[in-house]
Amino acid sequence: MWLEWPQDAAWFKVQGLCLDYSLIVVFVRLYFTTRKKLREDDSVEIPLTEDDIVQTTNPASEFYPNTIHHPYQFWLLIIASISHVIGNIGNSIWLDSGLAFFVFHVTYIITFTLFAYYIYIDTHCAGILPKRIYIFDTSRYKVVSCVILALLCSLGTIRFAIFIQTSKN
């Protein structure tokens, strides 16, 4: 509301890119924290014994995998977030390109499909009891550093887009 055109549009784009970049940071941190804690925890052993497999009465259960290769399902979230950022960066840099706009919308299809597939795997597959997801350290300096990283990446993307747009003219 305080900025004039086109600065208000650029600031709006910076806010969206900050969220996109921060999702990548959060999902990567979640994956590495869970992987590290699972390696340190001796109670989680793969391959599983028959006692660890959840038995279900669902007749379609033969189509479900018996184990989840935990925590590798987080890669779906990471790939989805990276895909969306790539589309958003392309749409930010080439504002007047119909192809960039099309690719941006295709990345929405990829992103939400991978998110939905992650939810399917997380909720429908018989797996490890209990499935452990470890939350990363949320100390103040780590949160602030993640926010600064997302903000710098977002501002760098917009700065690069402005450079490309001004060099075209």
Side-chain angles (χ1 to χ4, degrees), residues 35-163:
R35 191 178 77 168
K36 180 183 173 195
K37 296 286 185 182
L38 287 175
R39 284 187 181 159
E40 293 170 358
D41 188 6
D42 293 335
S43 66
V44 178
E45 293 291 327
I46 295 180
L48 300 173
T49 63
E50 288 297 321
D51 297 334
D52 294 328
I53 304 296
V54 176
Q55 298 299 325
T56 181
T57 58
N58 187 351
S61 65
E62 64 191 42
F63 300 110
Y64 299 151
N66 287 332
T67 60
I68 297 172
H69 298 289
H70 188 63
Y72 298 113
Q73 78 273 14
F74 291 125
W75 278 103
L76 292 171
L77 300 175
I78 295 168
I79 292 169
S81 300
I82 290 172
S83 167
H84 183 64
V85 165
I86 289 170
N88 207 345
I89 289 171
N91 193 37
S92 299
I93 293 173
W94 297 286
L95 291 172
D96 54 352
S97 171
L99 180 62
F101 187 69
F102 175 74
V103 168
F104 175 59
H105 284 285
V106 168
T107 61
Y108 267 112
I109 296 168
I110 294 167
T111 299
F112 291 122
T113 304
L114 288 175
F115 283 159
Y117 186 58
Y118 170 80
I119 292 170
Y120 171 78
I121 285 178
D122 196 48
T123 58
H124 286 82
C125 295
I128 301 168
L129 282 178
K131 180 171 48 178
R132 296 175 177 96
I133 298 175
Y134 293 96
I135 304 299
F136 44 83
D137 181 21
T138 56
S139 59
R140 183 169 297 191
Y141 78 94
K142 288 193 177 183
V143 171
V144 168
S145 63
C146 289
V147 168
I148 289 172
L149 176 67
L151 186 62
L152 288 176
C153 289
S154 178
L155 289 172
T157 301
I158 295 301
R159 180 63 191 123
F160 184 71
I162 291 170
F163 173 74

Side-chain angles (χ1 to χ4, degrees), residues 26-35 74 133-136:
V26 166
F27 290 148
V28 167
R29 289 184 69 203
L30 189 66
Y31 167 72
F32 282 119
T33 303
T34 302
R35 191 178 77 168
F74 291 125
I133 298 175
Y134 293 96
I135 304 299
F136 44 83

